[in-house]
Every structure is written in C-alpha cells, then in structure tokens.
Amino acid sequence: MEAKKISETRVIHTDQVLLNDLNNYDTLFGGVLMKKMDACATLSARRHSRVKQCVTASTDSVNFLHPIRQSDSVSIESFVCYTGRRSMEIFCKIVAEDLETGERKIAATAFLTFVPLGENKRPLEVPEVIPETDEEKYLYETGKEREKIRRLKREQNKELVSRLSPKKTCT
C-alpha cells in the first residue's frame, strides 16, 4: 500500500454562523461544531482510504479555546495526521473569523479516529501518511503517544462498561 501525502487528505469547510446555530450565550453550540467537524473529518478519512464507508471510532479531545459568535465565519480544516494499521487519526483545526474586523483566531482543535470498512463491514488496512509542513510533522511525530493514550482509555472504558448495568434505574 503506497503512502500518501497528508495534503491529499486536507478538507476545508467554511460556514457563516447563523442564528439557529447559537446557544443562549449567543455563541455557536458545541454540538453543532462537533457535527461539522465529524462531517469534515469523514471526508478526510475517505480521501485517504478511498472507501465508501469510514466510521468514527472515537473523538479523543475537543478543545474549545475561544467562543464563536454570530458575527463570525467558522472554517474547519481537517486532515489525516497519523495512521495505525487499520485506523486514521484526523486533526481538526477550527478558525473563527470576525467578518467585520477580519480578526482570525483558532477557536478549537480536535482529534478524531476513523476506521475504514470494507464490503463485509470489517476494518481495512490504511496507507501511511507523509507529513510535509512543520505543522504536519509535529502532529505526525506526536501521533504515536496519542495512540498509546487511546489504547489505555479504551481499556479503561471496557472496565467501566463491564461494571455498568443497562437496567432502568428510575420509574
């Protein structure tokens, strides 16, 4: 399987922040942003793996750094920054731009993990990535550590779930 440049997986989606996207603080709902990030990251994952289906395996972290207001546009940039054998880590960088002043700031960042599925709904192997820019190289070089943390969290979550009950606790 031939490695691909990270730039080949880059997706940029820009939207205007609309009134129905706002919470009671007049800032963008976090859930609305997460939905947009997942959609963007899905396209990056599919560009890299070239399959019909890629599923979100995890959202490792979403860091909300600055509020996004109705006067802003919001740009989501996503790309595959690290790969395992059958998974892809996608980085999302969210930039808010005040449309009146032109001021831009990184409003959020996130790491999502996707798995490509074959016709039989089983995970497929993915090509490695080739980082080129300083930003890409940094994210690639730190990917192994994030992968270790994901494995540990997965094991901790299995332990947690094994101790939970699906029974209804209230009437």
Side-chain angles (χ1 to χ4, degrees), residues 9 25 36-37 41 43-44 51 53 62 64 68 87 103 108 130 150 156 159 163-164:
T9 71
Y25 301 105
K36 291 174 184 286
M37 286 187 300
L43 292 175
S44 290
V51 297
Q53 285 189 318
V62 179
F64 297 101
I68 301 170
S87 65
E103 180 187 2
I130 302 167
R150 273 193 298 278
Q156 290 171 339
E159 174 68 19
R163 295 172 183 271
L164 300 178

PDB file of all heavy atoms in Angstrom, residues 9 25 36-37 41 43-44 51 53 62 64 68 87 103 108 130 150 156 159 163-164:
ATOM      1  N   THR A   9      -5.265  14.717   1.894  1.00  0.00           N
ATOM      2  CA  THR A   9      -6.448  14.430   2.705  1.00  0.00           C
ATOM      3  C   THR A   9      -7.093  15.694   3.265  1.00  0.00           C
ATOM      4  O   THR A   9      -8.117  15.622   3.937  1.00  0.00           O
ATOM      5  CB  THR A   9      -6.089  13.503   3.885  1.00  0.00           C
ATOM      6  OG1 THR A   9      -5.304  14.225   4.842  1.00  0.00           O
ATOM      7  CG2 THR A   9      -5.331  12.274   3.414  1.00  0.00           C
ATOM      8  N   TYR A  25     -26.001  31.799  25.081  1.00  0.00           N
ATOM      9  CA  TYR A  25     -24.938  32.779  25.310  1.00  0.00           C
ATOM     10  C   TYR A  25     -24.571  33.509  24.014  1.00  0.00           C
ATOM     11  O   TYR A  25     -23.574  34.221  23.960  1.00  0.00           O
ATOM     12  CB  TYR A  25     -23.689  32.103  25.888  1.00  0.00           C
ATOM     13  CG  TYR A  25     -23.954  31.394  27.180  1.00  0.00           C
ATOM     14  CD1 TYR A  25     -24.038  30.008  27.230  1.00  0.00           C
ATOM     15  CD2 TYR A  25     -24.154  32.110  28.362  1.00  0.00           C
ATOM     16  CE1 TYR A  25     -24.302  29.355  28.422  1.00  0.00           C
ATOM     17  CE2 TYR A  25     -24.413  31.466  29.559  1.00  0.00           C
ATOM     18  CZ  TYR A  25     -24.492  30.084  29.583  1.00  0.00           C
ATOM     19  OH  TYR A  25     -24.754  29.448  30.762  1.00  0.00           O
ATOM     20  N   LYS A  36     -20.201  19.419  12.536  1.00  0.00           N
ATOM     21  CA  LYS A  36     -19.481  19.917  11.368  1.00  0.00           C
ATOM     22  C   LYS A  36     -18.070  19.316  11.286  1.00  0.00           C
ATOM     23  O   LYS A  36     -17.602  18.966  10.209  1.00  0.00           O
ATOM     24  CB  LYS A  36     -19.386  21.447  11.416  1.00  0.00           C
ATOM     25  CG  LYS A  36     -20.709  22.171  11.222  1.00  0.00           C
ATOM     26  CD  LYS A  36     -20.530  23.678  11.432  1.00  0.00           C
ATOM     27  CE  LYS A  36     -21.825  24.436  11.351  1.00  0.00           C
ATOM     28  NZ  LYS A  36     -22.345  24.576  10.001  1.00  0.00           N
ATOM     29  N   MET A  37     -17.401  19.187  12.450  1.00  0.00           N
ATOM     30  CA  MET A  37     -16.059  18.588  12.481  1.00  0.00           C
ATOM     31  C   MET A  37     -16.108  17.132  12.026  1.00  0.00           C
ATOM     32  O   MET A  37     -15.255  16.688  11.251  1.00  0.00           O
ATOM     33  CB  MET A  37     -15.455  18.671  13.882  1.00  0.00           C
ATOM     34  CG  MET A  37     -15.000  20.039  14.273  1.00  0.00           C
ATOM     35  SD  MET A  37     -14.099  20.077  15.841  1.00  0.00           S
ATOM     36  CE  MET A  37     -15.297  19.450  16.969  1.00  0.00           C
ATOM     37  N   ALA A  41     -14.085  15.645   8.938  1.00  0.00           N
ATOM     38  CA  ALA A  41     -13.115  14.582   9.201  1.00  0.00           C
ATOM     39  C   ALA A  41     -13.448  13.314   8.411  1.00  0.00           C
ATOM     40  O   ALA A  41     -12.545  12.611   7.951  1.00  0.00           O
ATOM     41  CB  ALA A  41     -13.060  14.279  10.700  1.00  0.00           C
ATOM     42  N   LEU A  43     -14.718  13.194   5.440  1.00  0.00           N
ATOM     43  CA  LEU A  43     -14.215  13.392   4.075  1.00  0.00           C
ATOM     44  C   LEU A  43     -12.705  13.190   4.005  1.00  0.00           C
ATOM     45  O   LEU A  43     -12.198  12.569   3.057  1.00  0.00           O
ATOM     46  CB  LEU A  43     -14.587  14.786   3.572  1.00  0.00           C
ATOM     47  CG  LEU A  43     -16.077  15.026   3.331  1.00  0.00           C
ATOM     48  CD1 LEU A  43     -16.330  16.480   2.958  1.00  0.00           C
ATOM     49  CD2 LEU A  43     -16.610  14.088   2.258  1.00  0.00           C
ATOM     50  N   SER A  44     -11.978  13.675   5.015  1.00  0.00           N
ATOM     51  CA  SER A  44     -10.528  13.456   5.036  1.00  0.00           C
ATOM     52  C   SER A  44     -10.208  11.964   5.115  1.00  0.00           C
ATOM     53  O   SER A  44      -9.323  11.471   4.406  1.00  0.00           O
ATOM     54  CB  SER A  44      -9.891  14.178   6.231  1.00  0.00           C
ATOM     55  OG  SER A  44      -9.925  15.569   6.048  1.00  0.00           O
ATOM     56  N   VAL A  51     -12.518   4.536   0.372  1.00  0.00           N
ATOM     57  CA  VAL A  51     -13.570   3.538   0.559  1.00  0.00           C
ATOM     58  C   VAL A  51     -14.920   4.242   0.696  1.00  0.00           C
ATOM     59  O   VAL A  51     -14.980   5.448   0.908  1.00  0.00           O
ATOM     60  CB  VAL A  51     -13.313   2.658   1.816  1.00  0.00           C
ATOM     61  CG1 VAL A  51     -12.028   1.854   1.668  1.00  0.00           C
ATOM     62  CG2 VAL A  51     -13.299   3.474   3.074  1.00  0.00           C
ATOM     63  N   GLN A  53     -17.195   3.602   3.084  1.00  0.00           N
ATOM     64  CA  GLN A  53     -17.575   3.825   4.470  1.00  0.00           C
ATOM     65  C   GLN A  53     -16.374   3.972   5.388  1.00  0.00           C
ATOM     66  O   GLN A  53     -15.480   3.125   5.392  1.00  0.00           O
ATOM     67  CB  GLN A  53     -18.424   2.667   4.993  1.00  0.00           C
ATOM     68  CG  GLN A  53     -19.831   2.667   4.475  1.00  0.00           C
ATOM     69  CD  GLN A  53     -20.651   1.617   5.207  1.00  0.00           C
ATOM     70  OE1 GLN A  53     -20.170   0.514   5.451  1.00  0.00           O
ATOM     71  NE2 GLN A  53     -21.871   1.966   5.552  1.00  0.00           N
ATOM     72  N   VAL A  62     -11.791  17.434  22.196  1.00  0.00           N
ATOM     73  CA  VAL A  62     -12.226  18.655  21.538  1.00  0.00           C
ATOM     74  C   VAL A  62     -11.879  19.763  22.519  1.00  0.00           C
ATOM     75  O   VAL A  62     -12.334  19.749  23.660  1.00  0.00           O
ATOM     76  CB  VAL A  62     -13.742  18.666  21.238  1.00  0.00           C
ATOM     77  CG1 VAL A  62     -14.141  19.978  20.578  1.00  0.00           C
ATOM     78  CG2 VAL A  62     -14.136  17.488  20.360  1.00  0.00           C
ATOM     79  N   PHE A  64     -12.210  23.577  23.192  1.00  0.00           N
ATOM     80  CA  PHE A  64     -12.864  24.825  22.841  1.00  0.00           C
ATOM     81  C   PHE A  64     -12.021  25.952  23.425  1.00  0.00           C
ATOM     82  O   PHE A  64     -11.919  26.100  24.645  1.00  0.00           O
ATOM     83  CB  PHE A  64     -14.296  24.861  23.397  1.00  0.00           C
ATOM     84  CG  PHE A  64     -15.179  23.795  22.825  1.00  0.00           C
ATOM     85  CD1 PHE A  64     -15.446  22.634  23.542  1.00  0.00           C
ATOM     86  CD2 PHE A  64     -15.740  23.933  21.563  1.00  0.00           C
ATOM     87  CE1 PHE A  64     -16.268  21.645  23.019  1.00  0.00           C
ATOM     88  CE2 PHE A  64     -16.563  22.948  21.027  1.00  0.00           C
ATOM     89  CZ  PHE A  64     -16.827  21.801  21.760  1.00  0.00           C
ATOM     90  N   ILE A  68     -17.257  31.242  19.445  1.00  0.00           N
ATOM     91  CA  ILE A  68     -17.535  31.592  18.050  1.00  0.00           C
ATOM     92  C   ILE A  68     -18.885  32.300  18.048  1.00  0.00           C
ATOM     93  O   ILE A  68     -19.880  31.748  18.510  1.00  0.00           O
ATOM     94  CB  ILE A  68     -17.544  30.333  17.157  1.00  0.00           C
ATOM     95  CG1 ILE A  68     -16.195  29.614  17.243  1.00  0.00           C
ATOM     96  CG2 ILE A  68     -17.891  30.707  15.720  1.00  0.00           C
ATOM     97  CD1 ILE A  68     -16.167  28.242  16.596  1.00  0.00           C
ATOM     98  N   SER A  87      -6.523   2.224  11.243  1.00  0.00           N
ATOM     99  CA  SER A  87      -7.211   3.419  11.720  1.00  0.00           C
ATOM    100  C   SER A  87      -6.461   4.667  11.283  1.00  0.00           C
ATOM    101  O   SER A  87      -5.272   4.609  10.967  1.00  0.00           O
ATOM    102  CB  SER A  87      -7.357   3.396  13.241  1.00  0.00           C
ATOM    103  OG  SER A  87      -6.086   3.465  13.844  1.00  0.00           O
ATOM    104  N   GLU A 103     -10.398  39.838  12.013  1.00  0.00           N
ATOM    105  CA  GLU A 103      -9.573  39.146  13.015  1.00  0.00           C
ATOM    106  C   GLU A 103      -9.849  37.647  12.974  1.00  0.00           C
ATOM    107  O   GLU A 103     -10.997  37.220  12.981  1.00  0.00           O
ATOM    108  CB  GLU A 103      -9.873  39.691  14.417  1.00  0.00           C
ATOM    109  CG  GLU A 103      -9.056  39.010  15.485  1.00  0.00           C
ATOM    110  CD  GLU A 103      -9.455  39.411  16.907  1.00  0.00           C
ATOM    111  OE1 GLU A 103     -10.406  40.200  17.074  1.00  0.00           O
ATOM    112  OE2 GLU A 103      -8.818  38.901  17.839  1.00  0.00           O
ATOM    113  N   ALA A 108     -10.906  26.313  18.176  1.00  0.00           N
ATOM    114  CA  ALA A 108     -10.991  24.954  18.725  1.00  0.00           C
ATOM    115  C   ALA A 108     -10.038  24.042  17.958  1.00  0.00           C
ATOM    116  O   ALA A 108      -9.634  24.349  16.833  1.00  0.00           O
ATOM    117  CB  ALA A 108     -12.415  24.421  18.638  1.00  0.00           C
ATOM    118  N   ILE A 130       2.475  10.880   4.738  1.00  0.00           N
ATOM    119  CA  ILE A 130       3.761  11.563   4.587  1.00  0.00           C
ATOM    120  C   ILE A 130       3.553  13.030   4.973  1.00  0.00           C
ATOM    121  O   ILE A 130       2.878  13.778   4.261  1.00  0.00           O
ATOM    122  CB  ILE A 130       4.271  11.475   3.130  1.00  0.00           C
ATOM    123  CG1 ILE A 130       4.399  10.012   2.691  1.00  0.00           C
ATOM    124  CG2 ILE A 130       5.588  12.236   2.975  1.00  0.00           C
ATOM    125  CD1 ILE A 130       4.584   9.823   1.202  1.00  0.00           C
ATOM    126  N   ARG A 150      -4.985   6.540  23.608  1.00  0.00           N
ATOM    127  CA  ARG A 150      -6.284   5.996  23.144  1.00  0.00           C
ATOM    128  C   ARG A 150      -6.451   4.537  23.557  1.00  0.00           C
ATOM    129  O   ARG A 150      -7.525   4.132  23.991  1.00  0.00           O
ATOM    130  CB  ARG A 150      -6.405   6.111  21.623  1.00  0.00           C
ATOM    131  CG  ARG A 150      -6.961   7.412  21.136  1.00  0.00           C
ATOM    132  CD  ARG A 150      -7.346   7.341  19.670  1.00  0.00           C
ATOM    133  NE  ARG A 150      -6.230   7.078  18.788  1.00  0.00           N
ATOM    134  CZ  ARG A 150      -5.379   8.010  18.356  1.00  0.00           C
ATOM    135  NH1 ARG A 150      -5.530   9.254  18.711  1.00  0.00           N
ATOM    136  NH2 ARG A 150      -4.399   7.688  17.544  1.00  0.00           N
ATOM    137  N   GLN A 156      -9.651   1.245  29.795  1.00  0.00           N
ATOM    138  CA  GLN A 156     -10.354   1.796  30.955  1.00  0.00           C
ATOM    139  C   GLN A 156     -11.859   1.834  30.706  1.00  0.00           C
ATOM    140  O   GLN A 156     -12.651   1.540  31.604  1.00  0.00           O
ATOM    141  CB  GLN A 156      -9.840   3.206  31.276  1.00  0.00           C
ATOM    142  CG  GLN A 156      -8.440   3.225  31.823  1.00  0.00           C
ATOM    143  CD  GLN A 156      -7.882   4.637  31.933  1.00  0.00           C
ATOM    144  OE1 GLN A 156      -8.335   5.569  31.276  1.00  0.00           O
ATOM    145  NE2 GLN A 156      -6.871   4.789  32.779  1.00  0.00           N
ATOM    146  N   GLU A 159     -13.393  -1.609  31.110  1.00  0.00           N
ATOM    147  CA  GLU A 159     -13.560  -1.904  32.537  1.00  0.00           C
ATOM    148  C   GLU A 159     -14.789  -1.180  33.087  1.00  0.00           C
ATOM    149  O   GLU A 159     -15.597  -1.769  33.811  1.00  0.00           O
ATOM    150  CB  GLU A 159     -12.302  -1.484  33.307  1.00  0.00           C
ATOM    151  CG  GLU A 159     -12.402  -1.609  34.804  1.00  0.00           C
ATOM    152  CD  GLU A 159     -12.491  -3.044  35.300  1.00  0.00           C
ATOM    153  OE1 GLU A 159     -12.117  -3.981  34.554  1.00  0.00           O
ATOM    154  OE2 GLU A 159     -12.937  -3.229  36.443  1.00  0.00           O
ATOM    155  N   ARG A 163     -18.834  -2.834  34.407  1.00  0.00           N
ATOM    156  CA  ARG A 163     -19.405  -2.619  35.739  1.00  0.00           C
ATOM    157  C   ARG A 163     -20.732  -1.860  35.703  1.00  0.00           C
ATOM    158  O   ARG A 163     -21.319  -1.570  36.738  1.00  0.00           O
ATOM    159  CB  ARG A 163     -18.410  -1.866  36.613  1.00  0.00           C
ATOM    160  CG  ARG A 163     -17.164  -2.688  36.869  1.00  0.00           C
ATOM    161  CD  ARG A 163     -16.102  -1.862  37.561  1.00  0.00           C
ATOM    162  NE  ARG A 163     -14.889  -2.631  37.739  1.00  0.00           N
ATOM    163  CZ  ARG A 163     -14.631  -3.383  38.795  1.00  0.00           C
ATOM    164  NH1 ARG A 163     -15.499  -3.497  39.768  1.00  0.00           N
ATOM    165  NH2 ARG A 163     -13.490  -4.036  38.877  1.00  0.00           N
ATOM    166  N   LEU A 164     -21.198  -1.540  34.516  1.00  0.00           N
ATOM    167  CA  LEU A 164     -22.458  -0.812  34.373  1.00  0.00           C
ATOM    168  C   LEU A 164     -23.604  -1.759  34.026  1.00  0.00           C
ATOM    169  O   LEU A 164     -23.384  -2.825  33.449  1.00  0.00           O
ATOM    170  CB  LEU A 164     -22.335   0.245  33.270  1.00  0.00           C
ATOM    171  CG  LEU A 164     -21.273   1.322  33.476  1.00  0.00           C
ATOM    172  CD1 LEU A 164     -21.244   2.252  32.273  1.00  0.00           C
ATOM    173  CD2 LEU A 164     -21.520   2.098  34.747  1.00  0.00           C
TER     174      LEU A 164
END
